[in-house]
Each structure stands twice: as structure tokens, then as C-alpha cells.
Amino acid sequence: LVVIIGVAMAAFIMGDLFKSRTRQSVNIGAVNGEEISYKDFSVEVEKAQDAEKTNKKKAQLNSSEVFRIKQNTWKRMVKDIIMKDELDELGLTVTSDELYDLVQGEHPHRYILQYFKDPATGQYKPEMVRQYLQNLDKMPRENQLQWIDFEKAIKEDQLNTKFNNLVAKAYYLPKEFAKMVDAHKSTEIEVQ
């Protein structure tokens, strides 16, 4: 009887051990053959929630904010996978010189313009960027990771801009078709 109970307990424990291993490798979706694991999704959601809390200076987010963050994170992850394939195929990249110009150059990215303003005047101050970057290695690890994510966002936005410009310039609307579209827009219909 003791042996049977011992074997049953061992089987129960082994079964639970194998179940926990399979739970960790659960994928919640696949895009273009690339699987998205629950763990990766959770990590991205947690990062987005932390960023939202920091930006809104809140300790907790309400359920609608959490839901919105999860939806946006999922959409972003799917978009990243799809865009990565397209950008690789097209050969579009953001070089280190280009990123430097977007951060510290004469024509900074809109994110830089938004976050590095003089509090008194509301005007962009390039010295604030340089000063921030010079002191970055002395800042807490959290700030350094935040900067890496910030640069990543700038790079992704620049890639999206390049892609959108490429698509926009490739689009051609024949003159006759444009006239037809214009005529449809200007047609008035009277309903009784």
C-alpha cells in the first residue's frame, strides 16, 4: 500500500512538473511563420505599462488603460514582424550617422524636439540633449534603458517614415482617373 501511494505521488509530482514546462512555452500567435510567445508578449506589456505609469506619474493603471496597452502592444508586435520582413526585403535601414543627426544634428527628430524643451520658453534646446547624453553613463540603469528604448522608437519612426514615403512616391493616379474621382466628389445628390 505504501509503495502504491509513493508511486501515485511521484506520478502526480512528475505530471505537474511536465505541465509547468509546457505552460512556459505557450505561443499566443504566429505572424508570417514567426511565433509570439506569451512570455515575450508579457514582457512587452509590462514595459509599456511601466512607461505609461512613468509618463502619467501614476502608481496604478485602471483596467481600460491596461486593456488599451495590451491591444497596442499586440498590434505593435504584429506590425514589427510584418514590417521587419518588408524593410529587410527593401533594404531600408537607419544608419548610425542618420540616427546621430536625428538625435543631435541640425534637424532633430520630432521626439527630441518634444522632450528637450526649455521649461521657461518652450523652445527646443540642443544643449539639453548634449548634456543629457554626456551624463547618461552616470544616471541610474533605468534611465539608460529608457534612453535605449527612446532611440529605438526614433529609429522605428524613421524607418516607418522612409517606408511611407517610398509607398507614397510609388503611387500614381492617372489624370483621367483623377478627374473621375473629382467629379464623383463634387456630385450632389438630393434625397427626398
Side-chain angles (χ1 to χ4, degrees):
L1 186 61
V2 171
V3 171
I4 293 173
I5 292 173
V7 170
M9 286 181 65
F12 178 74
I13 292 170
M14 294 298 282
D16 195 40
L17 179 67
F18 289 121
K19 281 183 186 175
S20 66
R21 284 188 182 171
T22 57
R23 281 187 204 141
Q24 291 176 353
S25 63
V26 171
N27 294 319
I28 58 172
V31 179
N32 286 351
E34 186 173 329
E35 295 187 357
I36 300 173
S37 72
Y38 179 76
K39 181 181 175 185
D40 292 341
F41 177 71
S42 297
V43 167
E44 291 299 317
V45 167
E46 192 172 317
K47 280 185 193 176
Q49 286 177 344
D50 289 343
E52 185 87 3
K53 288 176 190 175
T54 302
N55 288 340
K56 292 190 174 182
K57 295 176 176 62
K58 287 178 140 183
Q60 291 293 341
L61 300 173
N62 63 40
S63 60
S64 64
E65 289 172 321
V66 171
F67 180 74
R68 180 184 46 79
I69 288 170
K70 286 181 179 181
Q71 278 190 318
N72 290 342
T73 301
W74 177 255
K75 288 176 185 176
R76 184 183 47 78
M77 290 178 81
V78 169
K79 180 184 170 211
D80 287 349
I81 292 170
I82 292 170
M83 287 301 293
K84 180 184 170 288
D85 293 345
E86 294 299 319
L87 295 172
D88 288 347
E89 190 174 320
L90 292 170
L92 292 177
T93 61
V94 175
T95 64
S96 55
D97 290 340
E98 191 176 358
L99 185 59
Y100 176 84
D101 189 49
L102 290 168
V103 173
Q104 299 182 56
E106 291 183 30
H107 306 288
H109 190 271
R110 62 189 167 96
Y111 295 165
I112 296 290
L113 294 173
Q114 180 181 351
Y115 289 105
F116 291 93
K117 293 180 181 178
D118 183 354
T121 63
Q123 297 295 315
Y124 166 68
K125 289 189 77 171
E127 309 86 50
M128 290 177 71
V129 178
R130 287 188 207 89
Q131 183 181 14
Y132 186 87
L133 292 174
Q134 287 170 351
N135 295 322
L136 189 61
D137 59 338
K138 298 170 192 150
M139 292 182 186
R141 180 84 176 131
E142 179 181 310
N143 291 51
Q144 294 172 5
L145 294 174
Q146 210 171 27
W147 179 258
I148 290 169
D149 288 341
F150 188 65
E151 273 191 341
K152 183 180 173 188
I154 290 172
K155 191 174 181 178
E156 286 174 5
D157 187 65
Q158 183 66 9
L159 280 171
N160 285 335
T161 300
K162 284 182 174 186
F163 183 79
N164 291 338
N165 287 340
L166 186 67
V167 170
K169 290 181 181 180
Y171 183 72
Y172 172 71
L173 184 64
K175 195 176 205 177
E176 291 302 315
F177 190 65
K179 286 180 185 177
M180 186 176 75
V181 169
D182 189 44
H184 283 292
K185 284 183 181 177
S186 64
T187 304
E188 291 184 27
I189 298 175
E190 190 174 316
V191 178
Q192 292 181 345

